[in-house]
Amino acid sequence: MENKPPNILNQIASLVVVISAVLYFTGWIYRWAYFGFFLLEVTTLDLLNESFFMVPFYLFFGNLEAVGRTLGLIVSFVWWLMIGQLLILLLVDRWNKTRQQLSGWFKQNYHKSKLRAGMMPYVMAILELNIKSFPPPLVRDFFLIFITLIMLYNLAYNQGLADARRDAGPKSTLPVVTLVVPESKIPLGRNIRDLTLNPKLQQSRVIGDIELYEQLQRRDFNDKSVPEEQRIVWRLLLDRNGQFYIFPALPSGVPVSKSPPVVVIQESVAGDQMMIMSPEVPPGE
């Protein structure tokens, strides 16, 4: 029988599936690390699936630093691929020698071992596994996938964490936010005519750490009468499903491992709430 020529469309479809999986995996790990820094679980935020595919383009080609990082990743990948093939040969040979020794020992000393009788068939099945019997392309592809996932995981996780730490501090790229609401709507915020007045809490109840709420009361506006490095700037982390996730940015000098508290505000449906966003803080008078 004559060999049929490869189906180009099938190959293209397979390539698209692989690339899509790589992009989605990278984007998911990045956002998992990013929002995890703010103590938010990415699976609860109901983010659009399409957005996970766009994040890797920023990681790989967002700026010159990202392009350089991508080139370094490619060089490392090729290096590990060449070294890995040699390691696979050595490990496979060593495993086959070791498994023969262990298999013989277990057969002779079964009654002396502490394994339960039900576990013995599984142990022997593992020891009888001959990796050399696997098709070489299968072993190569498995190692290729393993190395790819490890490198993409490290890249996405480290960059997501680094970007979250940057956005939590004074050099944040997130928009500055000002929320204007009626006095009775939320138990935070200042009276614009008298900044010394705390919110009225006669009808409010608190569950949890009261001190944390009191700390937020002292940080709920940007006091421009204090030195600039001590000013509190509120930023918008996320606007999703009718909820605003806002937080007071950390001042300079705070340890990079510290996360700011995140406040979730429900969007108003009555038109009595206003959100102002700005790329930077207006200068003081």
Side-chain angles (χ1 to χ4, degrees):
M1 295 179 63
E2 296 182 357
N3 293 329
K4 294 183 179 180
N7 191 321
I8 302 297
L9 292 179
N10 287 340
Q11 292 183 351
I12 293 176
S14 300
L15 182 61
V16 170
V17 170
V18 172
I19 294 177
S20 299
V22 166
L23 293 177
Y24 188 86
F25 173 81
T26 306
W28 197 94
I29 294 298
Y30 174 89
R31 289 199 156 175
W32 171 65
Y34 183 91
F35 289 111
F37 177 80
F38 294 96
L39 305 181
L40 297 175
E41 177 56 52
V42 67
T43 57
T44 65
L45 299 177
D46 193 25
L47 301 173
L48 295 176
N49 288 329
E50 294 83 352
S51 64
F52 290 97
F53 292 100
M54 301 306 298
V55 170
F57 290 100
Y58 156 74
L59 281 176
F60 298 143
F61 311 110
N63 48 47
L64 291 178
E65 181 181 356
V67 172
R69 188 169 56 240
T70 301
L71 293 176
L73 184 70
I74 295 174
V75 172
S76 300
F77 177 78
V78 173
W79 186 86
W80 274 107
L81 191 59
M82 294 186 297
I83 298 297
Q85 291 179 350
L86 298 176
L87 291 176
I88 286 178
L89 295 176
L90 294 175
L91 291 175
V92 167
D93 184 66
R94 184 60 185 170
W95 163 251
N96 286 323
K97 292 179 180 178
T98 302
R99 73 177 182 83
Q100 293 174 1
Q101 297 172 357
L102 291 175
S103 179
W105 185 90
F106 271 105
K107 288 178 180 179
Q108 296 177 5
N109 301 274
Y110 167 70
H111 297 290
K112 298 179 182 179
S113 67
K114 297 182 179 180
L115 291 175
R116 297 180 179 179
M119 296 178 59
M120 197 61 189
Y122 300 101
V123 173
M124 295 306 299
I126 294 174
L127 293 176
E128 291 297 330
L129 182 64
N130 185 358
I131 300 181
K132 285 186 176 181
S133 63
F134 288 0
L138 178 62
V139 177
R140 184 192 65 237
D141 292 345
F142 177 81
F143 179 77
L144 181 65
I145 294 172
F146 177 77
I147 291 297
T148 301
L149 293 180
I150 290 296
M151 299 189 74
L152 289 176
Y153 175 89
N154 286 331
L155 171 66
Y157 179 83
N158 292 329
Q159 191 60 42
L161 193 58
D163 288 350
R165 288 170 174 169
R166 176 204 63 203
D167 287 343
K171 296 182 179 180
S172 177
T173 61
L174 297 173
V176 176
V177 64
T178 299
L179 182 65
V180 183
V181 296
E183 185 176 14
S184 60
K185 292 297 183 181
I186 59 174
L188 276 178
R190 299 284 112 180
N191 185 316
I192 196 169
R193 300 301 178 189
D194 189 350
L195 299 179
T196 63
L197 293 178
N198 288 326
K200 296 179 180 179
L201 302 176
Q202 288 83 355
Q203 302 299 322
S204 298
R205 298 291 183 269
V206 177
I207 298 176
D209 197 324
I210 297 178
E211 286 75 16
L212 178 58
Y213 170 71
E214 292 175 344
Q215 289 178 9
L216 281 176
Q217 275 192 321
R218 296 191 292 268
R219 305 169 63 189
D220 57 5
F221 78 106
N222 188 5
D223 186 359
K224 295 181 180 178
S225 65
V226 302
E228 185 174 357
E229 61 274 9
Q230 299 178 9
R231 297 176 185 174
I232 303 299
V233 179
W234 283 76
R235 295 187 179 272
L236 177 65
L237 176 64
L238 188 66
D239 176 7
R240 191 72 186 144
N241 290 336
Q243 292 180 324
F244 301 115
Y245 294 76
I246 61 178
F247 68 93
L250 300 174
S252 57
V254 175
V256 295
S257 60
K258 183 178 177 59
S259 302
V262 177
V263 178
V264 183
I265 304 294
Q266 188 70 33
E267 183 179 2
S268 172
V269 296
D272 55 357
Q273 178 176 305
M274 180 173 63
M275 174 77 75
I276 305 173
M277 289 183 290
S278 172
E280 58 185 10
V281 181
E285 296 180 357

